[in-house]
Amino acid sequence: MPSSSSALALSALKAHWRRDKSLRDVLAHLHAWQTMLLDFVAANQNGTSKPFLPAPHTWRTTPALNMEIWGRYQDTPLAEVQRQKGCPAPP
């Protein structure tokens, strides 16, 4: 029988496949997480204690956070997400 943590991981994986339907969704998701990481590192290197995840989220609520990220970018065109990520423009 799988452990509760492996069941949670499988559930999160299934949520990913239901959530991300386009290249824009994937790039926006990666951009949001990269931004959280870079902000976390910069703040803590400058002596400001900052949690990695935005309040009120915890590691257990990352599926909800991911849905918030997804919703935030639904009206953003792929070209704008690519510009934010520094991706080259399509030919």
Side-chain angles (χ1 to χ4, degrees):
M1 173 172 264
S3 70
S4 63
S5 63
S6 63
L8 183 61
L10 181 59
S11 174
L13 180 62
K14 288 179 182 178
H16 155 74
W17 290 111
R18 286 191 306 268
R19 182 189 67 235
D20 298 332
K21 301 291 183 194
S22 67
L23 177 60
R24 183 213 50 220
D25 292 342
V26 174
L27 286 177
H29 181 85
L30 292 173
H31 172 71
W33 278 89
Q34 180 182 37
T35 300
M36 284 189 293
L37 174 63
L38 294 174
D39 289 349
F40 168 78
V41 170
N44 285 282
Q45 283 180 334
N46 290 326
T48 304
S49 179
K50 177 181 178 171
F52 180 76
L53 298 174
H57 292 288
T58 66
W59 289 109
R60 289 191 183 269
T61 64
T62 55
L65 173 59
N66 286 332
M67 286 305 296
E68 287 176 21
I69 293 167
W70 179 84
R72 189 180 317 146
Y73 286 94
Q74 287 308 291
D75 294 328
T76 306
L78 173 60
E80 175 62 18
V81 174
Q82 288 174 305
R83 187 191 64 73
Q84 290 175 4
K85 281 291 299 160
C87 297

Coordinates of all heavy atoms in Angstrom, one line a residue:
M1 N 0.9 -1.2 0.0 CA 0.0 0.0 0.0 C 0.9 1.2 0.0 O 1.8 1.3 0.8 CB -0.9 0.0 1.2 CG -1.7 1.2 1.4 SD -2.9 1.1 2.8 CE -4.3 0.7 1.8
P2 N 0.6 2.2 -0.9 CA 1.4 3.4 -0.9 C 1.3 4.3 0.3 O 0.2 4.3 0.9 CB 0.9 4.2 -2.2 CG -0.3 3.5 -2.6 CD -0.4 2.2 -1.9
S3 N 2.4 5.0 0.6 CA 2.4 5.9 1.8 C 1.5 7.1 1.5 O 1.2 7.4 0.3 CB 3.8 6.3 2.2 OG 4.3 7.1 1.2
S4 N 1.1 7.8 2.5 CA 0.3 9.0 2.3 C 1.1 10.1 1.5 O 0.5 10.8 0.7 CB -0.2 9.6 3.6 OG 0.9 10.0 4.4
S5 N 2.4 10.1 1.7 CA 3.2 11.1 1.0 C 3.3 10.7 -0.5 O 3.3 11.6 -1.4 CB 4.6 11.3 1.6 OG 5.3 10.1 1.5
S6 N 3.4 9.4 -0.8 CA 3.5 9.1 -2.2 C 2.1 9.2 -2.9 O 2.0 9.6 -4.1 CB 4.0 7.6 -2.4 OG 3.1 6.7 -1.8
A7 N 1.0 9.0 -2.1 CA -0.3 9.2 -2.7 C -0.5 10.7 -2.9 O -1.1 11.1 -3.9 CB -1.4 8.7 -1.7
L8 N 0.0 11.6 -2.0 CA -0.1 13.0 -2.2 C 0.7 13.5 -3.5 O 0.2 14.3 -4.3 CB 0.4 13.8 -1.0 CG 0.3 15.3 -1.0 CD1 -1.2 15.7 -1.1 CD2 0.9 15.9 0.3
A9 N 1.9 12.9 -3.6 CA 2.7 13.2 -4.8 C 2.0 12.8 -6.1 O 2.0 13.5 -7.1 CB 4.1 12.6 -4.7
L10 N 1.4 11.6 -6.1 CA 0.7 11.2 -7.3 C -0.5 12.1 -7.6 O -0.8 12.4 -8.7 CB 0.2 9.7 -7.1 CG -0.5 9.1 -8.2 CD1 0.3 9.1 -9.5 CD2 -1.0 7.7 -7.9
S11 N -1.2 12.5 -6.5 CA -2.4 13.4 -6.7 C -1.9 14.7 -7.3 O -2.6 15.3 -8.2 CB -3.0 13.6 -5.4 OG -4.0 14.6 -5.5
A12 N -0.8 15.2 -6.8 CA -0.3 16.5 -7.4 C 0.1 16.3 -8.8 O -0.1 17.2 -9.7 CB 0.9 17.0 -6.5
L13 N 0.7 15.2 -9.2 CA 1.1 14.9 -10.6 C -0.1 14.9 -11.5 O -0.1 15.5 -12.5 CB 1.9 13.6 -10.7 CG 2.4 13.2 -12.0 CD1 3.3 14.2 -12.6 CD2 3.0 11.8 -12.0
K14 N -1.2 14.2 -11.0 CA -2.4 14.2 -11.8 C -3.0 15.6 -12.0 O -3.5 15.9 -13.0 CB -3.4 13.3 -11.1 CG -3.0 11.8 -11.3 CD -4.1 10.9 -10.6 CE -3.7 9.5 -10.6 NZ -4.6 8.6 -9.9
A15 N -2.9 16.4 -10.9 CA -3.4 17.8 -11.0 C -2.7 18.6 -12.0 O -3.3 19.3 -12.8 CB -3.3 18.4 -9.6
H16 N -1.4 18.3 -12.2 CA -0.5 19.0 -13.2 C -1.1 18.7 -14.6 O -1.2 19.6 -15.4 CB 0.9 18.6 -13.0 CG 1.7 18.7 -14.3 ND1 2.1 19.9 -14.7 CD2 2.1 17.8 -15.2 CE1 2.8 19.8 -15.9 NE2 2.8 18.5 -16.1
W17 N -1.4 17.5 -14.8 CA -1.9 17.1 -16.2 C -3.2 17.7 -16.5 O -3.6 18.0 -17.6 CB -1.8 15.6 -16.4 CG -0.4 15.1 -16.5 CD1 0.2 14.3 -15.6 CD2 0.5 15.4 -17.5 NE1 1.5 14.1 -16.0 CE2 1.7 14.7 -17.1 CE3 0.5 16.1 -18.7 CZ2 2.9 14.8 -17.9 CZ3 1.6 16.2 -19.5 CH2 2.8 15.5 -19.1
R18 N -4.1 17.9 -15.4 CA -5.4 18.5 -15.6 C -5.3 20.0 -15.8 O -6.1 20.6 -16.5 CB -6.3 18.2 -14.5 CG -6.8 16.8 -14.4 CD -7.9 16.6 -13.4 NE -7.5 17.0 -12.1 CZ -7.0 16.2 -11.2 NH1 -6.7 14.9 -11.4 NH2 -6.7 16.6 -10.0
R19 N -4.3 20.6 -15.2 CA -4.1 22.0 -15.1 C -3.4 22.6 -16.4 O -3.9 23.5 -17.0 CB -3.3 22.4 -13.8 CG -3.2 23.9 -13.6 CD -2.2 24.2 -12.5 NE -0.9 23.7 -12.8 CZ -0.1 22.9 -12.1 NH1 -0.6 22.4 -11.0 NH2 1.1 22.5 -12.5
D20 N -2.3 22.1 -16.7 CA -1.5 22.7 -17.7 C -1.8 22.1 -19.1 O -1.6 21.0 -19.4 CB 0.0 22.5 -17.5 CG 0.5 23.2 -16.2 OD1 -0.2 24.2 -15.8 OD2 1.4 22.7 -15.5
K21 N -2.4 23.0 -19.9 CA -2.9 22.5 -21.2 C -2.2 23.1 -22.4 O -2.4 22.8 -23.6 CB -4.4 22.9 -21.4 CG -5.3 22.3 -20.3 CD -5.4 20.8 -20.5 CE -6.4 20.2 -19.5 NZ -6.2 18.8 -19.4
S22 N -1.2 24.0 -22.2 CA -0.5 24.7 -23.2 C 0.9 25.0 -22.8 O 1.2 25.0 -21.7 CB -1.3 26.0 -23.6 OG -1.2 26.9 -22.6
L23 N 1.7 25.4 -23.8 CA 3.0 25.9 -23.6 C 3.0 27.1 -22.7 O 3.8 27.2 -21.8 CB 3.7 26.2 -24.9 CG 5.1 26.8 -24.8 CD1 6.1 25.8 -24.1 CD2 5.7 27.1 -26.2
R24 N 2.0 28.0 -22.9 CA 1.9 29.1 -22.0 C 1.7 28.8 -20.6 O 2.4 29.3 -19.7 CB 0.7 30.0 -22.5 CG 0.6 31.3 -21.6 CD -0.8 31.8 -21.4 NE -1.7 30.8 -20.9 CZ -2.9 30.7 -21.3 NH1 -3.4 31.5 -22.1 NH2 -3.7 29.8 -20.8
D25 N 0.9 27.8 -20.3 CA 0.6 27.3 -18.9 C 1.9 26.8 -18.3 O 2.2 27.2 -17.1 CB -0.4 26.2 -18.9 CG -1.8 26.7 -19.2 OD1 -2.1 27.9 -19.2 OD2 -2.6 25.8 -19.6
V26 N 2.7 26.0 -19.0 CA 3.9 25.5 -18.5 C 5.0 26.6 -18.2 O 5.6 26.6 -17.2 CB 4.5 24.4 -19.4 CG1 5.9 23.9 -18.9 CG2 3.5 23.2 -19.5
L27 N 5.2 27.4 -19.2 CA 6.2 28.5 -19.1 C 5.8 29.5 -17.9 O 6.6 29.9 -17.2 CB 6.3 29.3 -20.4 CG 7.1 28.6 -21.5 CD1 7.0 29.5 -22.7 CD2 8.5 28.3 -21.1
A28 N 4.5 29.8 -17.8 CA 4.0 30.7 -16.8 C 4.3 30.0 -15.4 O 4.7 30.7 -14.4 CB 2.6 31.0 -16.9
H29 N 4.0 28.7 -15.3 CA 4.2 28.0 -14.0 C 5.7 28.1 -13.7 O 6.1 28.4 -12.5 CB 3.7 26.6 -14.2 CG 3.9 25.7 -13.0 ND1 2.9 25.7 -12.0 CD2 4.9 24.9 -12.6 CE1 3.3 24.9 -11.1 NE2 4.5 24.4 -11.4
L30 N 6.6 27.8 -14.6 CA 8.0 27.8 -14.4 C 8.5 29.2 -14.0 O 9.3 29.4 -13.1 CB 8.8 27.3 -15.6 CG 8.6 25.8 -15.9 CD1 9.3 25.4 -17.2 CD2 9.1 24.9 -14.7
H31 N 8.0 30.2 -14.7 CA 8.3 31.6 -14.4 C 7.9 32.0 -13.0 O 8.7 32.6 -12.3 CB 7.7 32.5 -15.4 CG 7.8 34.0 -15.1 ND1 9.0 34.6 -15.2 CD2 6.9 34.9 -14.6 CE1 8.9 35.9 -14.9 NE2 7.6 36.1 -14.5
A32 N 6.7 31.6 -12.6 CA 6.3 32.0 -11.2 C 7.1 31.3 -10.2 O 7.5 32.0 -9.2 CB 4.8 31.6 -11.1
W33 N 7.4 30.0 -10.3 CA 8.3 29.3 -9.3 C 9.7 29.9 -9.3 O 10.3 30.0 -8.3 CB 8.2 27.8 -9.5 CG 7.0 27.3 -8.9 CD1 5.7 27.1 -9.4 CD2 6.9 26.8 -7.5 NE1 4.9 26.6 -8.5 CE2 5.5 26.4 -7.3 CE3 7.7 26.7 -6.5 CZ2 5.1 25.9 -6.1 CZ3 7.3 26.2 -5.3 CH2 6.0 25.8 -5.1
Q34 N 10.2 30.2 -10.5 CA 11.6 30.7 -10.6 C 11.6 32.1 -9.9 O 12.6 32.4 -9.1 CB 12.0 30.8 -12.0 CG 13.4 31.4 -12.2 CD 13.8 31.6 -13.6 OE1 13.0 31.9 -14.5 NE2 15.1 31.3 -13.9
T35 N 10.6 32.9 -10.1 CA 10.6 34.2 -9.5 C 10.5 34.1 -7.9 O 11.2 34.8 -7.2 CB 9.4 35.0 -10.0 OG1 9.5 35.2 -11.4 CG2 9.2 36.3 -9.3
M36 N 9.7 33.1 -7.5 CA 9.6 32.9 -6.0 C 11.0 32.5 -5.4 O 11.4 33.0 -4.4 CB 8.6 31.8 -5.7 CG 7.2 32.3 -5.8 SD 6.0 31.1 -5.1 CE 6.1 29.7 -6.3
L37 N 11.7 31.6 -6.2 CA 13.0 31.2 -5.7 C 14.0 32.3 -5.7 O 14.7 32.6 -4.7 CB 13.5 30.0 -6.6 CG 15.0 29.6 -6.3 CD1 15.1 29.0 -4.9 CD2 15.4 28.6 -7.3
L38 N 14.1 33.1 -6.8 CA 15.0 34.2 -6.9 C 14.7 35.3 -5.8 O 15.6 35.8 -5.2 CB 15.0 34.8 -8.3 CG 15.5 33.9 -9.4 CD1 15.3 34.5 -10.8 CD2 17.0 33.5 -9.1
D39 N 13.4 35.6 -5.6 CA 13.1 36.5 -4.6 C 13.5 36.1 -3.2 O 14.0 36.8 -2.3 CB 11.6 36.8 -4.6 CG 11.1 37.6 -5.8 OD1 12.0 38.2 -6.5 OD2 9.9 37.7 -6.0
F40 N 13.2 34.8 -2.9 CA 13.6 34.2 -1.6 C 15.1 34.2 -1.4 O 15.6 34.7 -0.4 CB 13.1 32.7 -1.6 CG 13.7 31.9 -0.5 CD1 13.2 32.0 0.8 CD2 14.7 31.0 -0.7 CE1 13.7 31.2 1.8 CE2 15.2 30.2 0.3 CZ 14.7 30.3 1.6
V41 N 15.9 33.9 -2.4 CA 17.4 33.9 -2.3 C 17.9 35.3 -2.1 O 18.7 35.6 -1.2 CB 18.0 33.2 -3.5 CG1 19.5 33.4 -3.5 CG2 17.7 31.7 -3.5
A42 N 17.4 36.2 -2.9 CA 17.9 37.6 -2.8 C 17.5 38.2 -1.4 O 18.4 38.9 -0.8 CB 17.2 38.5 -3.9
A43 N 16.3 38.0 -1.0 CA 15.9 38.6 0.3 C 16.8 38.0 1.5 O 17.3 38.7 2.3 CB 14.5 38.3 0.6
N44 N 17.0 36.7 1.5 CA 17.7 36.1 2.5 C 19.2 36.4 2.4 O 19.9 36.5 3.5 CB 17.5 34.6 2.6 CG 16.1 34.3 3.2 OD1 15.9 34.3 4.4 ND2 15.1 34.0 2.3
Q45 N 19.8 36.6 1.3 CA 21.2 37.0 1.1 C 21.4 38.4 1.6 O 22.5 38.7 2.1 CB 21.6 36.9 -0.3 CG 21.9 35.5 -0.8 CD 22.4 35.4 -2.2 OE1 22.1 36.3 -3.0 NE2 23.1 34.3 -2.6
N46 N 20.3 39.2 1.6 CA 20.4 40.6 2.0 C 20.0 40.7 3.5 O 19.9 41.8 4.0 CB 19.5 41.5 1.2 CG 20.1 41.7 -0.2 OD1 21.3 41.7 -0.4 ND2 19.2 41.8 -1.2
G47 N 19.9 39.6 4.2 CA 19.6 39.6 5.6 C 18.1 39.7 6.0 O 17.8 39.9 7.1
T48 N 17.2 39.7 5.0 CA 15.8 39.7 5.3 C 15.2 38.3 5.3 O 15.3 37.6 4.3 CB 15.1 40.5 4.2 OG1 15.6 41.8 4.1 CG2 13.6 40.6 4.4
S49 N 14.7 37.9 6.4 CA 14.2 36.6 6.5 C 12.8 36.5 5.8 O 11.9 37.3 6.1 CB 14.0 36.2 8.0 OG 13.4 34.9 8.1
K50 N 12.8 35.7 4.8 CA 11.6 35.6 4.0 C 11.3 34.2 3.7 O 12.1 33.4 3.3 CB 11.8 36.4 2.7 CG 10.6 36.3 1.7 CD 10.9 37.0 0.4 CE 9.7 36.8 -0.5 NZ 9.8 37.7 -1.7
P51 N 10.0 33.7 3.9 CA 9.7 32.4 3.6 C 9.7 32.2 2.1 O 9.5 33.1 1.3 CB 8.3 32.2 4.2 CG 7.7 33.5 4.3 CD 8.9 34.5 4.5
F52 N 9.9 30.9 1.7 CA 10.0 30.7 0.2 C 8.6 30.8 -0.4 O 8.4 31.4 -1.4 CB 10.5 29.2 0.0 CG 10.6 28.9 -1.5 CD1 11.6 29.4 -2.3 CD2 9.6 28.0 -2.0 CE1 11.6 29.1 -3.6 CE2 9.6 27.7 -3.4 CZ 10.7 28.2 -4.2
L53 N 7.6 30.2 0.2 CA 6.2 30.3 -0.3 C 5.5 31.5 0.2 O 5.6 31.9 1.4 CB 5.4 29.0 0.1 CG 6.0 27.7 -0.4 CD1 5.2 26.5 0.2 CD2 6.0 27.6 -1.9
P54 N 4.7 32.1 -0.7 CA 3.9 33.3 -0.2 C 2.8 32.9 0.8 O 2.2 31.8 0.7 CB 3.3 33.8 -1.5 CG 3.2 32.7 -2.4 CD 4.4 31.8 -2.1
A55 N 2.6 33.8 1.8 CA 1.5 33.5 2.7 C 0.2 33.5 2.0 O 0.0 34.2 1.0 CB 1.6 34.6 3.8
P56 N -0.7 32.7 2.4 CA -0.7 31.8 3.6 C -0.3 30.4 3.2 O -0.5 29.4 4.0 CB -2.2 31.8 3.9 CG -2.9 31.8 2.6 CD -2.0 32.7 1.7
H57 N 0.5 30.2 2.1 CA 0.7 28.8 1.6 C 1.8 28.1 2.4 O 2.7 28.7 3.0 CB 1.1 28.9 0.1 CG -0.1 29.2 -0.7 ND1 -1.1 28.4 -0.9 CD2 -0.4 30.4 -1.3 CE1 -2.0 28.9 -1.7 NE2 -1.6 30.2 -2.0
T58 N 1.7 26.8 2.4 CA 2.7 25.9 3.0 C 2.9 24.8 1.9 O 2.3 24.8 0.9 CB 2.2 25.2 4.3 OG1 1.1 24.3 3.9 CG2 1.7 26.2 5.3
W59 N 3.9 23.9 2.2 CA 4.2 22.9 1.2 C 2.9 22.0 1.0 O 2.7 21.5 -0.1 CB 5.4 22.1 1.6 CG 6.6 22.9 1.4 CD1 7.4 23.4 2.4 CD2 7.2 23.4 0.2 NE1 8.5 24.1 1.9 CE2 8.4 24.1 0.6 CE3 6.9 23.2 -1.1 CZ2 9.2 24.7 -0.4 CZ3 7.7 23.8 -2.1 CH2 8.8 24.6 -1.7
R60 N 2.1 21.9 2.0 CA 0.9 21.1 1.8 C -0.2 21.8 0.9 O -1.0 21.1 0.4 CB 0.3 20.8 3.2 CG 1.1 19.8 4.0 CD 0.3 19.3 5.2 NE 1.0 18.4 6.0 CZ 1.0 17.1 5.8 NH1 0.3 16.6 4.9 NH2 1.8 16.3 6.6
T61 N -0.1 23.1 0.8 CA -1.1 23.8 0.0 C -0.5 24.2 -1.4 O -1.1 25.0 -2.1 CB -1.6 25.1 0.7 OG1 -0.5 26.0 0.9 CG2 -2.2 24.7 2.1
T62 N 0.6 23.6 -1.8 CA 1.1 24.0 -3.1 C 0.2 23.7 -4.3 O 0.2 24.4 -5.3 CB 2.5 23.3 -3.4 OG1 2.4 21.9 -3.2 CG2 3.6 23.9 -2.5
P63 N -0.7 22.6 -4.2 CA -1.7 22.5 -5.3 C -2.6 23.7 -5.4 O -2.8 24.2 -6.5 CB -2.5 21.3 -4.9 CG -1.5 20.4 -4.1 CD -0.7 21.5 -3.3
A64 N -3.0 24.3 -4.3 CA -3.8 25.5 -4.4 C -3.0 26.7 -4.9 O -3.5 27.5 -5.7 CB -4.4 25.9 -3.0
L65 N -1.7 26.8 -4.5 CA -0.8 27.9 -5.0 C -0.7 27.7 -6.5 O -0.7 28.7 -7.3 CB 0.5 27.8 -4.3 CG 1.6 28.7 -4.9 CD1 1.2 30.2 -4.8 CD2 2.9 28.5 -4.1
N66 N -0.5 26.5 -7.0 CA -0.3 26.2 -8.4 C -1.6 26.6 -9.2 O -1.5 27.2 -10.3 CB 0.1 24.8 -8.7 CG 1.5 24.5 -8.3 OD1 2.3 25.4 -8.3 ND2 1.8 23.3 -7.9
M67 N -2.7 26.4 -8.6 CA -4.0 26.8 -9.3 C -4.1 28.4 -9.3 O -4.6 28.9 -10.3 CB -5.2 26.2 -8.6 CG -5.4 24.7 -8.9 SD -5.4 24.3 -10.7 CE -6.9 25.2 -11.2
E68 N -3.6 29.0 -8.3 CA -3.6 30.5 -8.3 C -2.7 31.0 -9.4 O -3.0 32.0 -10.1 CB -3.1 31.0 -6.9 CG -4.1 30.9 -5.8 CD -3.6 31.3 -4.4 OE1 -2.6 32.1 -4.4 OE2 -4.2 30.9 -3.4
I69 N -1.5 30.4 -9.5 CA -0.6 30.8 -10.5 C -1.2 30.6 -11.9 O -1.2 31.4 -12.8 CB 0.7 30.0 -10.4 CG1 1.5 30.4 -9.1 CG2 1.6 30.2 -11.7 CD1 2.6 29.5 -8.8
W70 N -1.8 29.4 -12.1 CA -2.5 29.1 -13.4 C -3.5 30.2 -13.7 O -3.6 30.7 -14.8 CB -3.1 27.7 -13.3 CG -3.8 27.3 -14.5 CD1 -3.3 26.7 -15.6 CD2 -5.2 27.4 -14.7 NE1 -4.3 26.5 -16.5 CE2 -5.5 26.9 -16.0 CE3 -6.3 27.9 -14.0 CZ2 -6.8 26.8 -16.6 CZ3 -7.6 27.8 -14.5 CH2 -7.8 27.3 -15.8
G71 N -4.4 30.5 -12.7 CA -5.4 31.5 -12.9 C -4.9 32.9 -13.2 O -5.5 33.6 -14.0
R72 N -3.8 33.2 -12.6 CA -3.1 34.5 -12.8 C -2.7 34.7 -14.3 O -2.7 35.9 -14.8 CB -1.9 34.6 -11.9 CG -1.3 36.0 -11.8 CD -0.1 36.0 -10.9 NE -0.3 35.3 -9.7 CZ 0.7 34.6 -9.0 NH1 1.9 34.6 -9.5 NH2 0.4 34.0 -7.9
Y73 N -2.4 33.7 -15.0 CA -1.9 33.8 -16.3 C -2.9 33.4 -17.4 O -2.5 33.4 -18.6 CB -0.6 32.9 -16.5 CG 0.6 33.5 -15.8 CD1 0.9 33.2 -14.5 CD2 1.4 34.5 -16.4 CE1 2.0 33.7 -13.9 CE2 2.5 35.0 -15.8 CZ 2.8 34.7 -14.5 OH 3.9 35.2 -13.9
Q74 N -4.1 33.1 -17.1 CA -5.0 32.7 -18.1 C -5.4 33.7 -19.2 O -5.7 33.4 -20.3 CB -6.3 32.1 -17.5 CG -6.1 30.8 -16.8 CD -5.4 29.8 -17.8 OE1 -6.1 29.3 -18.7 NE2 -4.2 29.4 -17.5
D75 N -5.3 35.0 -18.8 CA -5.5 36.1 -19.8 C -4.3 36.6 -20.4 O -4.3 37.7 -21.0 CB -6.4 37.2 -19.1 CG -7.8 36.7 -18.8 OD1 -8.3 35.8 -19.5 OD2 -8.3 37.2 -17.8
T76 N -3.1 36.0 -20.1 CA -1.8 36.5 -20.6 C -1.5 35.7 -21.9 O -1.4 34.5 -21.8 CB -0.7 36.3 -19.5 OG1 -1.2 36.9 -18.3 CG2 0.6 36.9 -20.0
P77 N -1.2 36.4 -23.0 CA -0.8 35.7 -24.2 C 0.5 35.0 -24.1 O 1.4 35.4 -23.3 CB -0.8 36.8 -25.2 CG -1.4 38.0 -24.6 CD -1.3 37.8 -23.2
L78 N 0.7 33.9 -24.8 CA 2.0 33.2 -24.8 C 3.2 34.1 -25.0 O 4.2 34.1 -24.4 CB 2.0 32.1 -25.9 CG 3.3 31.4 -26.1 CD1 3.8 30.7 -24.8 CD2 3.2 30.4 -27.2
A79 N 3.1 35.1 -26.0 CA 4.2 36.0 -26.3 C 4.6 36.8 -25.1 O 5.8 37.0 -24.9 CB 3.8 36.9 -27.5
E80 N 3.6 37.2 -24.3 CA 3.9 38.0 -23.1 C 4.6 37.1 -22.0 O 5.6 37.6 -21.4 CB 2.7 38.6 -22.5 CG 2.9 39.3 -21.2 CD 3.8 40.5 -21.2 OE1 4.1 41.0 -22.3 OE2 4.3 40.9 -20.2
V81 N 4.2 35.9 -21.9 CA 4.9 35.0 -20.9 C 6.3 34.7 -21.4 O 7.2 34.7 -20.6 CB 4.1 33.7 -20.8 CG1 4.8 32.6 -19.9 CG2 2.7 33.9 -20.2
Q82 N 6.5 34.5 -22.7 CA 7.8 34.3 -23.3 C 8.7 35.5 -23.0 O 9.9 35.4 -22.7 CB 7.7 34.0 -24.8 CG 7.2 32.6 -25.1 CD 7.0 32.4 -26.5 OE1 6.3 33.2 -27.2 NE2 7.5 31.4 -27.1
R83 N 8.1 36.7 -23.2 CA 8.9 37.9 -22.9 C 9.3 38.0 -21.5 O 10.5 38.3 -21.1 CB 8.1 39.2 -23.3 CG 8.9 40.5 -23.2 CD 8.0 41.7 -23.3 NE 7.1 41.8 -22.2 CZ 7.5 42.2 -20.9 NH1 8.8 42.4 -20.6 NH2 6.6 42.3 -19.9
Q84 N 8.4 37.7 -20.5 CA 8.8 37.7 -19.1 C 9.9 36.7 -18.8 O 10.7 36.9 -17.9 CB 7.5 37.4 -18.3 CG 6.5 38.4 -18.3 CD 5.2 38.0 -17.5 OE1 5.1 37.0 -16.9 NE2 4.2 38.9 -17.6
K85 N 9.9 35.5 -19.5 CA 10.9 34.5 -19.2 C 12.1 34.8 -20.0 O 13.1 34.1 -19.8 CB 10.3 33.1 -19.7 CG 9.4 32.5 -18.7 CD 10.0 32.0 -17.4 CE 11.1 31.0 -17.7 NZ 12.0 30.9 -16.6
G86 N 12.1 35.8 -20.9 CA 13.3 36.0 -21.6 C 13.5 35.0 -22.8 O 14.6 34.8 -23.3
C87 N 12.5 34.4 -23.2 CA 12.5 33.5 -24.3 C 12.6 34.2 -25.6 O 12.1 35.3 -25.8 CB 11.3 32.6 -24.4 SG 11.0 31.6 -22.9
P88 N 13.3 33.7 -26.6 CA 13.4 34.3 -27.9 C 12.0 34.4 -28.6 O 11.2 33.4 -28.4 CB 14.4 33.5 -28.7 CG 14.4 32.2 -28.0 CD 14.1 32.4 -26.6
A89 N 11.7 35.4 -29.3 CA 10.5 35.5 -30.0 C 10.4 34.5 -31.1 O 11.4 34.2 -31.7 CB 10.3 36.9 -30.6
P90 N 9.2 33.9 -31.4 CA 9.1 33.0 -32.5 C 9.4 33.7 -33.8 O 9.2 34.9 -34.0 CB 7.7 32.5 -32.4 CG 6.9 33.4 -31.5 CD 8.0 34.2 -30.7
P91 N 9.9 32.9 -34.8 CA 10.2 33.5 -36.1 C 8.9 34.0 -36.8 O 7.9 33.6 -36.6 CB 10.8 32.4 -36.9 CG 10.5 31.1 -36.1 CD 10.1 31.5 -34.8

